[in-house]
Amino acid sequence: MRTALTLALLSALLAGPALAQQPRPATCSRDLFQNEAGFRLQQTRLSAAASADQATQCRAFREHVGYLQKARSVFAACQSGAERERNVAEMDSELVNYRALLANRCGGR
């Protein structure tokens, strides 16, 4: 009985990581490439909006928040390990910053 319980526990421990790791979507290569292209596009848009009127800036900030949310989802689904943790944390931090910027400069709109 004790041996069976030990084997069952050992089996569960070994299977745990395999069960916890979800398969990557088949579109990950494309999605990660599009994330990179999207980042460059967002940087261009934010730079162009820097000297624009407030309404244009607020629109650029809202669009950037949407991009960050999508990019975060791609990193979370398509990466693993330290790279995933670093990129997801960076997206989370940027989301906090841009949401605060929207709240302060755009009335939360």
Side-chain angles (χ1 to χ4, degrees):
M1 170 94 168
R2 187 172 220 169
T3 304
L5 183 58
T6 303
L7 287 175
L9 181 59
L10 181 59
S11 176
L13 289 173
L14 292 175
L19 294 175
Q21 190 173 24
Q22 301 202 359
R24 287 178 37 165
T27 60
C28 278
S29 293
R30 181 199 69 201
D31 295 344
L32 288 166
F33 178 78
Q34 287 177 336
N35 255 9
E36 182 66 28
F39 176 75
R40 288 191 300 275
L41 179 61
Q42 285 304 116
Q43 291 303 106
T44 300
R45 288 179 177 167
L46 290 171
S47 293
S51 59
D53 60 83
Q54 184 176 355
T56 301
Q57 289 180 349
C58 291
R59 187 170 38 258
F61 298 155
R62 282 191 298 277
E63 289 173 1
H64 193 60
V65 166
Y67 162 77
L68 292 170
Q69 290 170 327
K70 181 180 175 191
R72 185 199 186 282
S73 295
V74 170
F75 288 137
C78 294
Q79 293 182 322
S80 62
E83 182 178 42
R84 178 188 185 276
E85 296 305 315
R86 183 180 57 252
N87 286 330
V88 168
E90 186 176 337
M91 294 299 104
D92 287 343
S93 176
E94 287 296 306
L95 280 164
V96 167
N97 293 338
Y98 274 92
R99 286 178 177 146
L101 186 63
L102 280 168
N104 292 330
R105 294 188 60 196
C106 304
R109 297 179 273 133

